[in-house]
Amino acid sequence: MTVRTATPSLATSTTGALLVAGIVLATLTEAIASTVLSLGRGDITGDTYATPDEFAGLDIGYTALKLIGFMTASSLMNRIHPLSLIIGSTLAMGLACGIAAITTQLDLLVALRTIQGFSGGIMLVGGQAIIFLAYPRSRQPILQALFAMGSVVAPATIAPALQGWLLDSQSWTWIFFSVVPVALTAAGLLLFADVAVPAKTAHGAFDWLGFCLISVALFCLTYVFSQGSRWDWFEEARILWLTVIGAATLLVFLGQQVLAKGRGLLDFSLFKSEDFSFAFIVSFVAGAALFGSAFLIPAFAVSVLAFTPLDAGLLLLPSGALFIGALLIAAFLIQVRHVPPFATVPFGILMIMLAMWMLSGSTSESGADDMMAAILLRGFGLGFLFLSITLIAFGKLDSRNLASGIGLFNTGRQLGGLLGVAALQTLIDHNVAANVAVLGANLTAGRAAVIERLTTMAAMLTAKGMDAAAAGRAAASLLGRAVASQSTVIAFDTAFNAVALLFVIAAPVLVAIKVGLSRHAKRRAARTLQPRPATVGIKQAQL
């Protein structure tokens, strides 16, 4: 394995600015590409004539290859010049998006999505690692805040608004087209950023066995998490078998990595750091909250409030400003005021929990103004949470295992997000069906309130020119739609509460884990400092 030493500060401020700007723009291309299916799903399906199973390949191919990119980025950085790797990945992303914009051939689109996913994973890990290696640790809070603007803020707030505007004004192909100039600009800036990179030492062969094992495991798990809800989970044999295969392959991969003794894809020495172990667990929970809430809010706006894609995208945009503001405030507190990163984690968790609780009171009559306070509070909380756990995770890692740690951290966050979205989608589906059954059971034909509602609606329709028989049938149909709409509202409110409850349960668990890890670290340090018996005997003999 290559052993790198941290590079000194960049020679000039201009070179450093070009480097950071290029990396942030590169991550922005990933942000746009990663969220293209969230709002463009209907338009792309219509133009490609894809079935739900065929369309699933676009999503699964991207996400699975992105996860594989996270896991392999460290090994690739040991074999390829890191800056050249980032530039190549950025150009590959731009090329794949440019071709995707001019084709409706489904098989080609799936292949292009895999290229986009793998390139995106490499860019996120490599870009963050280069920033850590190129600058001293004392300047990392503000630099990691800038990096988070492209890697976390953009996909959660800016990209949906951009895509909604392009879908309403142009078409889904323009979403892919928009990536091309950004990718070219990012690559150009990185080409001019002359960054000193330490010389590489000898390394072993690439771990192809580990690569194949983790690829199979991640493909299986990605399919299960993204499609399990649609197939009612283990009621479908396909989901059951893929779960078994994915879990078994993952266990075999972990065993193979242990036997590789540091020469594989996964560096187990990372977990000797209590800070990294704690942050890795938090990243899983935070990923569920970030991706879960980013799924719930636009879905509620589109399915219940009948927002257009543009309106749904703009709903999250203002929270981006609070997200960025919180990142900068947290960076100032940590870098200038020397506030420990741990101090802002509870504050971020509390604000996200409160925001989800506020959203749980939304109704079918709610509008953007009614939801905005909670959405802004969510963005503010995420800013404090994500910068803190990033600095906690990587603050004490050395250059030897830094890239591996970043890849593993991002994998945990992405898997947490997949699991969170899958759980929320399942919760909504089951609650809608249960709510319809409960509400429908109370709509008996003989009840006075039901008769009055049907009579009023029928009279209104008759007054508009509809004959009495048709008006009666239409009134019954409208009442059924009202029941379905109210059932959906209740289901979404339950899902918002579930995200808040996640933190209610997770917060004390995380505190207990942190306390346990700290005690374990102290015991290990005490054992390390304790003199060996032989050494004690020699000293006594000398006395």
Side-chain angles (χ1 to χ4, degrees):
M1 167 149 326
T2 301
V3 178
R4 300 183 185 278
T5 56
T7 53
S9 60
L10 296 177
T12 64
S13 58
T14 302
T15 301
L18 290 177
L19 175 69
V20 175
I23 290 175
V24 171
L25 283 179
T27 61
L28 184 59
T29 65
E30 194 281 328
I32 299 172
S34 65
T35 55
V36 66
L37 301 184
S38 58
L39 294 177
R41 184 177 302 272
D43 293 353
I44 297 175
T45 301
D47 288 346
T48 59
Y49 304 102
T51 64
D53 284 336
E54 291 172 336
F55 187 83
L58 295 173
D59 195 12
I60 295 167
Y62 184 93
T63 305
L65 265 295
K66 181 178 177 179
L67 290 169
I68 294 170
F70 287 157
M71 295 297 293
T72 57
S74 176
S75 293
L76 292 177
M77 288 179 68
N78 288 332
R79 291 159 173 81
I80 304 173
H81 190 290
L83 196 58
S84 299
L85 183 64
I86 304 304
I87 294 172
S89 299
T90 304
L91 292 175
M93 174 69 81
L95 179 62
C97 288
I99 298 174
I102 59 175
T103 182
T104 57
Q105 186 178 342
L106 188 61
D107 292 341
L108 179 57
L109 281 174
V110 171
L112 292 170
R113 289 293 287 171
T114 61
I115 296 173
Q116 294 167 13
F118 190 74
S119 300
I122 297 297
M123 281 190 294
L124 290 176
V125 175
Q128 192 167 23
I130 287 177
I131 290 176
F132 265 106
L133 294 171
Y135 288 92
R137 297 299 170 98
S138 61
R139 299 175 63 184
Q140 289 303 318
I142 186 62
L143 292 171
Q144 293 305 316
L146 294 174
F147 179 82
M149 292 178 192
S151 62
V152 182
V153 178
T157 59
I158 300 173
L162 171 65
Q163 293 170 7
W165 173 68
L166 290 174
L167 286 171
D168 279 1
S169 62
Q170 303 295 331
S171 69
W172 62 270
T173 59
W174 280 88
I175 299 176
F176 285 121
F177 268 131
S178 67
V179 174
V180 177
V182 179
L184 292 176
T185 304
L189 292 174
L190 292 173
L191 283 171
F192 284 104
D194 185 16
V195 182
V197 178
K200 294 183 286 185
T201 60
H203 52 72
F206 183 77
D207 183 14
W208 286 106
L209 177 58
F211 176 79
C212 293
L213 289 172
I214 195 60
S215 296
V216 172
L218 291 175
F219 263 111
C220 292
L221 294 177
T222 300
Y223 187 95
V224 169
F225 288 152
S226 62
Q227 301 298 308
S229 177
R230 187 165 70 89
W231 291 104
D232 202 15
W233 295 99
F234 300 128
E235 296 298 322
E236 170 65 30
R238 180 189 328 179
I239 299 297
L240 177 61
W241 279 109
L242 286 175
T243 302
V244 172
I245 294 171
T249 308
L250 181 60
L251 291 175
V252 173
F253 168 75
L254 294 175
Q256 183 262 341
Q257 293 297 295
V258 171
L259 296 176
K261 298 180 179 179
R263 295 188 297 272
L265 295 177
L266 187 59
D267 186 358
F268 284 100
S269 66
L270 291 164
F271 294 100
K272 293 180 180 179
S273 167
E274 61 162 308
D275 288 347
F276 179 83
S277 300
F278 174 74
F280 178 76
I281 298 171
V282 176
S283 75
F284 194 86
V285 178
L290 173 66
F291 289 91
S293 57
F295 156 75
L296 282 177
I297 295 172
F300 178 79
V302 172
S303 61
V304 175
L305 305 182
F307 278 29
T308 64
L310 176 58
D311 291 335
L314 291 175
L315 188 62
L316 291 174
L317 187 59
S319 69
L322 270 293
F323 203 150
I324 292 172
L327 287 171
L328 296 177
I329 293 173
F332 172 79
L333 292 175
I334 296 170
Q335 182 169 321
V336 179
R337 296 298 183 183
H338 306 293
V339 175
F342 287 106
T344 61
V345 172
F347 187 55
I349 289 176
L350 180 63
M351 285 192 289
I352 297 170
M353 184 173 63
L354 181 60
M356 293 299 103
W357 176 77
M358 292 169 62
L359 287 171
S360 67
S362 301
T363 69
S364 58
E365 302 299 322
S366 298
D369 293 339
D370 301 309
M371 302 171 64
M372 191 52 62
I375 292 173
L376 292 175
L377 191 61
R378 165 188 171 269
F380 205 59
L382 287 171
F384 279 102
L385 180 61
F386 269 94
L387 181 62
S388 296
I389 61 175
T390 296
L391 296 174
I392 292 169
F394 313 133
K396 295 182 180 179
L397 298 184
D398 57 34
S399 58
R400 179 183 61 83
N401 56 11
L402 177 64
S404 181
I406 292 173
L408 193 59
F409 179 86
N410 280 281
T411 301
R413 186 182 68 186
Q414 190 77 31
L415 288 175
L418 287 174
L419 183 59
V421 172
L424 291 172
Q425 182 64 66
T426 302
L427 180 65
I428 291 171
D429 292 343
H430 288 184
N431 268 272
V432 168
N435 294 336
V436 168
V438 171
L439 294 177
N442 293 312
L443 296 179
T444 55
R447 297 190 64 173
V450 176
I451 295 174
E452 182 181 356
R453 179 73 177 267
L454 290 173
T455 301
T456 302
M457 287 191 294
M460 181 185 65
L461 294 173
T462 302
K464 292 186 177 182
M466 189 177 292
D467 63 83
R473 292 191 297 270
S477 176
L478 289 174
L479 184 59
R481 291 183 182 181
V483 169
S485 175
Q486 188 60 31
S487 299
T488 305
V489 171
I490 296 173
F492 270 98
D493 286 348
T494 303
F496 285 127
N497 267 324
V499 178
L501 186 62
L502 169 68
F503 282 109
V504 172
I505 297 172
V509 174
L510 292 174
V511 171
I513 290 173
K514 177 58 181 171
V515 171
L517 289 172
S518 298
R519 289 179 178 176
H520 176 71
K522 289 179 181 178
R523 287 195 298 267
R524 187 175 60 191
R527 287 195 301 267
T528 303
L529 295 175
Q530 184 177 3
R532 296 179 181 178
T535 305
V536 174
I538 292 172
K539 289 183 177 180
Q540 290 176 346
Q542 291 174 345
L543 293 174

